Amino acid sequence: MAAKTSSRGSSVQLSVIIVNYNVREFLHHALVSLKKAMRGIRAEVLVVDNASDDGSVQMLQKDFPWVRLIINKSNEGFARANNRALRRARGKYLLLINPDTVVQEDTLKVMLRFFEENPDVGLAGCKILNPDGTFQLACRRSFPTPWVAFTRLTGLSKLFPKTRLLGRYNLTYLSPDETYEIDAVSGSFMMTRRKVYNEVGGLDERFFMYGEDLDWCYRIQKAGWKIYYVHSTQIIHYKGESTRRSSIDEIKMFYEAMQLFVRKHLTRSVLLASLLKLAIAFSSRLAMIRAHLRPVLIGIVDIVLVDLALMVAEFIWLGEIFHFPSYAYPIVYVVPAVIVVASLYVTGVYTHRRMSVSRTIAAVVVAYVIIAAIVFFFRSYAFSRAVLAISGMLSVMLLPGWRLIAKVWRRDLSTGRKSLLGRRTLIVGADRAARELLRRLRQRVADGYEVVGFIDSSRRTVGQKIDGLAVLGSLDNIGKVIQEHRVSDVIFSTQKVSYADILGVIGRTRELAVNFHLVPTKLEVMIGKASVDSLDELPLVQITYNIEKPLNRIAKRMFDLGLGGLLLISIYPFVYFTKSSRTGSTASVLCQLPDVVAGRMSLVGPPPGSTTVHLNGQPQQPLFIGKPGLTGLIQLQRDRQLTAEEIEQYNLYYAKNQSLALDVEILLKTLIQRERRTNAESYS
């Protein structure tokens, strides 16, 4: 263990207290960073687990036996859980820190030195960064006096953050790179003296979550101590991870905590109490509206597209729009759209299977069958069967089409699969752990990381190759590398890279809109801004594969016929007579379009000769994974030599997750890759 402890309370310089609720991976990373920061300090760590069910306790007992663990049978909230640990803590100084934080190696030393040099300071916090490197405003605050609360609730503090009069809530008119006295700090990092705790007491347990930090700072300040913001060290805070994994209504709880604070300390302010009650009611309604707004907006888009399909069909067949009698149009533009939306709702497209392309196709087809039947019985609206048929075909293309495009460019909401596009990635580190990380990322096709190279801690290895990829730069010029290679994701292998260097890089490159991820030393998970991804090996077990589902096979065949036939008519004649003999060239690939239309091949699929895999190494259990494809996941890896294990992983992933969205992603990725290769050849 990095920090020495003793049974005598006076020998413990610092007690670090963490309250955990279902954030096992973040807690693991926080403890790893704390262990480094505690070197040379006589410290102890107390973790209070609030009845987590994610394996946090087992992880602590296995990997961090030196932690003093307190296990609660229920979620007692932040204040009561911290008080349990405060009563058992033995340190001269006490630090309350959230489990979803990462500290620099110097953080604890800097804060202890600050307290020793400033005996009038009762509580202090440090600079806190968001995972993207931006400054977390909540780490320095003013008390919610009537005026401060008014500027916050009305939004004036956000509109005019740099003015002293209106920017007092988060002190946005002050520089984050200076140290000064403030009213309150964030509960994610609060350090105080034992003397202050003995004098003022612990957190007020009436605050379940939110507000207890504000209340503690208020009481400490009223007791004559100063509260300070210290800029000379910093941490990362993955804000709100515990509440995100619970059923707690954050907005309601936040405003109720503010109401409790007002009743306790600002009882004379009737106006402020009324404003807060109004804010709770307004925020709750707003959250409810937001939850229902997305399906409504999707429905509106579908209605507009159905009506657009009717107008285009009318123009195609009759040569003009609004050709029908004027009395008919309210019915013509309302009833078909309502029937289509109702059909989509019944099939779950607006509820549990949002944005499903295959269900949308089926629902639209069923809807137009119903519309055709209705028109048959209502002869006064049977103006043109051709217009109805054309609008039906257009709707079958438009409604699934816009969903397909949406799913290509962002995460699939139903499965959580990340897009294969736009995740050009740098690995920071060039040691054995970084190479192992590269191997695991290559095997995890679903994550969609395209690793472009490594960043080393120094310039000595720049230009060298590691497993086929170059060391592109050092920590000093990583910003330039990110811009030159259009990097969207940076992954830090923390085994050799210090947390101080990590936070420094994040702080310097926060304007580049990059996603940062941290991988703890055991390479079990990858912690990012919006998710925690497992890096464990995946067993090859037989499950249901999309490629075998009848609806997927029909949709895939229709897609091959539609797009393949269009390319065969428009492009094939031009490339046939100019085709290149070079295998894999664009012309030679397009010359196989007749095989696609004939059904012998597919636009997307495994390479020829690789259309089956053997599950769990059992040759007697071959799995069909689709027809050979002009392109596919394996064909996209042509720039590197794949192992047999990697080929099997790619094939299994495609068979399991095949969809029109994935096929379109692969086709777009192929076009982008070939465009980049063409540009590179033209410059060479």
Side-chain angles (χ1 to χ4, degrees), residues 38 69 74 77 80 99 125 150 205 224 265 308 320 324 336 350 352 395 425 514 552 621 636 671:
M38 290 190 302
L69 178 60
S74 62
R80 182 172 294 179
F150 174 76
E205 296 181 5
H265 300 295
L308 179 64
E320 61 178 340
F324 303 139
Y350 297 133
H352 59 287
S395 295
T425 304
V514 176
N552 283 60
Q621 294 181 326
L636 287 173
L671 292 174

Side-chain angles (χ1 to χ4, degrees), residues 377-570:
F377 288 104
F378 292 91
R379 296 286 183 176
S380 57
Y381 291 94
F383 303 113
S384 173
R385 291 190 180 92
V387 170
L388 182 62
I390 294 171
S391 67
M393 288 187 289
L394 289 173
S395 295
V396 168
M397 290 188 292
L398 290 174
L399 271 66
W402 81 261
R403 287 172 168 82
L404 194 61
I405 294 170
K407 289 171 71 173
V408 165
W409 291 105
R410 58 188 173 86
R411 183 176 296 191
D412 185 337
L413 298 174
S414 62
T415 64
R417 182 178 58 80
K418 300 178 181 68
S419 172
L420 294 174
L421 303 172
R423 298 182 70 86
R424 292 173 60 79
T425 304
L426 279 177
I427 294 178
V428 180
D431 56 353
R432 182 181 299 176
R435 292 196 297 273
E436 175 64 14
L437 174 60
L438 172 65
R439 186 186 72 81
R440 295 198 186 191
L441 288 176
R442 281 175 168 174
Q443 287 188 337
R444 301 192 64 81
V445 186
D447 292 337
Y449 293 102
E450 179 189 350
V451 181
V452 298
F454 295 90
I455 293 292
D456 205 349
S457 55
S458 67
R459 300 176 186 269
R460 291 193 299 272
T461 58
V462 173
Q464 295 182 10
K465 290 289 185 73
I466 300 175
D467 292 343
L469 293 177
V471 178
L472 300 175
S474 65
L475 291 174
D476 294 334
N477 70 334
I478 186 173
K480 184 178 180 182
V481 174
I482 289 172
Q483 290 179 309
E484 288 181 350
H485 292 269
R486 303 182 304 281
V487 169
S488 64
D489 292 76
V490 175
I491 305 175
F492 294 96
S493 175
T494 61
Q495 199 163 61
K496 294 294 183 182
V497 183
S498 71
Y499 288 100
D501 286 337
I502 291 172
L503 270 73
V505 168
I506 292 174
R508 293 197 307 272
T509 58
R510 60 180 177 269
E511 304 297 332
L512 298 180
V514 176
N515 298 315
F516 296 101
H517 311 266
L518 307 179
V519 179
T521 53
K522 290 193 175 183
L523 290 177
E524 293 174 343
V525 295
M526 182 165 60
I527 300 175
K529 177 172 61 176
S531 64
V532 178
D533 298 326
S534 172
L535 290 172
D536 292 338
E537 304 289 348
L538 289 178
L540 301 180
V541 295
Q542 187 158 9
I543 54 177
T544 302
Y545 292 88
N546 285 354
I547 198 73
E548 297 177 318
K549 295 179 180 178
L551 193 58
N552 283 60
R553 295 175 70 173
I554 293 171
K556 184 173 178 62
R557 181 62 185 143
M558 290 176 62
F559 181 68
D560 283 344
L561 279 173
L563 182 58
L566 181 63
L567 294 174
L568 187 67
I569 296 170
S570 59

